[in-house]
Amino acid sequence: MTADQAGPVVSTPHGAVRGRYEHGIAVFRGIPYAAPPFGPRRFRPPQPPEPWDGVRDAGAFGPTAPKPPYSEAFARYLSDPVIPGDDCLNLNVWTPEPGPGARLPVLVWLHGGALTRGSSAVPVYDGRNFARDGVVCVSVNYRLGLEGYGLFPDAPPNPGLRDQLAALRWVHETIDAFGGDPDQVTLCGQSAGAVSTGVLLAAPATRGLIRRAVLQSGPPEASDRDKVRRMVRRMATRLKIPATAEAFAAVDRDRLLRTQAEVGRLSSPVLGGPAFGIVVDGDLVPRDPLHALLDGDAAQGVQLLMGWTRDEYRLWFVPGGLQEHIDRLGPVALAVAMARCHAGHEVPRAYRAFHPNAGVAEIVGQMVTDHLLRAPLHRLADARPGTSYLYEFAWPSRLPDLGACHALELGFVFDTGDVPESKKLAGEGAPQELCDAMHAAWVRFVATGDPGWQAWDASHPVRMFGDGGPYTAYGPRDAELALWSTTYTTTEPGPAEIRAPGAEWAAAVRRLRRSAGARRR
């Protein structure tokens, strides 16, 4: 490593890069870890980038992966910068000590966005405060939507996940030159990034690359292959082309994104429907990732920090008024949620007993949150006691009706609550002391494997981050989660009276999906 007045220079396997010093932190942006995934590399596993001569400038974020914009309803709350260019397989590094020998712990961040949106350029994900506190922070761009998770007969599955693996390997081979320790890497993600983190954790190909992992609002899971195929086929039908990679590669990219957005309106975390997702491929993902981790034969010795926000569902419901629509539908909406969660009638009855003043939307939202997030993460913690730590983020947004919604914790984890993009979701007045506490817990976990509270055991400790400061609760929500001991593991659609109560139910599903479409993240 050398440095000059223009900024620090670090050598990578493909060439030297020059970063910037910002507030005493060395920042390198837009470093390619793989070649542009277009032309003959379209829909294919990532390939190494072409080496370059001289010193490449790494002062600005690199191109973002092709993606449709958020709907107007969601864009009020979520920022998603678009940076044009084909060289979208790039990453960023924040480090307090850019040189070999420092051996600092490393955090690798995978952004969320339903595998269709998001990027490492979102200002909330600025890694400067992790670097300030002695952690080398790396954030990654990867292929999204059809480009990253389309399922075709003439192309390998999961190219977006393979991008993430290529970035992890780049970190393992290169991070020492930036001051990081390749043996102290924590893989961390939120929502789709957490799902990706869990899948990679279970993948045999990552053995030795991950020391610790953080799963924020996303469990290890693989999508049903038919569900992903339906997404591709519906796009192909609209485009009047065969559902093959070769045919899609010939379509204008902007047209593909518009079509993807139109078809994706039918998807929803609550209602299901066709969507892009990671699939079991017999190679990188040889089996269901949650089962691989529960069996104990994957990621042995890896420490886990996992959790959720108290009101995850409110980011799915509030934008555009879906919450009010669900309340109006009442029992019909509840029946749809029961089918979605494979739940019997005893489940909503029990939720009503626990929350006697809640409306239908709140009952539906909590059921879906428990089914999709809390229950599988509890199962994973039960299978790995002593090395798992659970949390719940419960501080409510200052904006109306959002509560402690999905993605709200991100400004606290990164200690970036002061940036305007964080305030779009949190409003004004996010408590800095809570930012300090949550960020410090993540730094401590990355550095030591212990975030500062009791590891998971039979007492079920969960660290609560909310108004009044953090505290540890024991056994919260266990009575509700016990309801899923049989229901959330089944692949059956549920009792016939829930699955198909007639034309009214089918029409309600269609209405809810139409309402949810414009509100999809």
Side-chain angles (χ1 to χ4, degrees), residues 232-428:
V232 174
R233 288 170 180 162
R234 290 184 182 186
M235 288 185 64
T237 298
R238 285 183 178 242
L239 293 166
K240 297 180 172 58
I241 62 172
T244 64
E246 181 181 14
F248 273 99
V251 179
D252 174 76
R253 201 182 302 171
D254 288 338
R255 188 182 176 204
L256 282 181
L257 291 177
R258 289 194 301 272
T259 304
Q260 179 181 302
E262 292 166 1
V263 174
R265 291 178 68 251
L266 300 176
S267 302
S268 164
V270 179
L271 300 170
F276 291 114
I278 300 164
V279 298
V280 173
D281 58 20
D283 176 21
L284 177 57
V285 189
R287 57 180 299 209
D288 179 87
L290 180 59
H291 291 163
L293 291 167
L294 290 176
D295 290 348
D297 60 349
Q300 283 291 332
V302 175
Q303 296 147 315
L304 302 179
L305 173 59
M306 305 179 288
W308 50 80
T309 70
R310 183 190 61 200
D311 307 310
E312 298 272 4
Y313 66 94
R314 288 182 180 268
L315 188 63
W316 309 329
F317 286 5
V318 171
L322 183 58
Q323 180 161 304
E324 291 80 3
H325 191 59
I326 292 173
D327 278 332
R328 284 196 301 272
L329 281 172
V332 176
L334 196 59
V336 173
M338 291 162 64
R340 175 77 175 96
C341 297
H342 317 310
H345 289 287
E346 73 283 357
V347 173
R349 282 198 295 266
Y351 276 75
R352 180 67 68 191
F354 292 129
H355 306 283
N357 299 318
V360 172
E362 183 176 349
I363 297 297
V364 167
Q366 292 293 357
M367 280 176 57
V368 172
T369 297
D370 282 352
H371 174 69
L372 296 178
L373 296 176
R374 292 190 182 99
L377 293 180
H378 268 242
R379 286 185 73 196
L380 188 51
D382 283 340
R384 293 169 178 260
T387 59
S388 299
Y389 299 85
L390 264 61
Y391 73 89
E392 178 172 310
F393 183 81
W395 181 83
S397 170
R398 299 307 189 214
L399 299 180
D401 300 321
L402 285 179
C405 67
H406 191 67
L408 182 60
E409 88 283 10
L410 292 170
F412 293 80
V413 168
F414 281 85
D415 192 13
T416 53
D418 57 339
V419 305
E421 291 78 7
S422 287
K423 294 177 182 179
K424 286 179 68 173
L425 195 59
E428 297 288 344

Side-chain angles (χ1 to χ4, degrees), residues 116-152:
T116 58
R117 296 176 175 89
S119 80
S120 65
V122 175
V124 180
Y125 308 152
D126 192 303
R128 67 183 185 274
N129 292 323
F130 276 107
R132 175 200 66 194
D133 295 331
V135 172
V136 177
C137 184
V138 180
S139 60
V140 178
N141 281 340
Y142 53 93
R143 279 174 281 183
L144 302 170
L146 181 81
E147 304 284 349
Y149 299 94
L151 194 55
F152 305 105

Side-chain angles (χ1 to χ4, degrees), residues 13 17 25 27 30 54 83 88 90 131 149 166 215 221 261 280 283 305 342 377 383 409 432 436 452 456 472 479 494:
V17 292
I25 300 300
V27 185
I83 303 172
C88 61
N90 58 70
Y149 299 94
L215 280 67
E221 66 178 11
V280 173
D283 176 21
L305 173 59
H342 317 310
L377 293 180
E409 88 283 10
Q432 183 59 47
D436 293 341
W456 188 258
T472 302

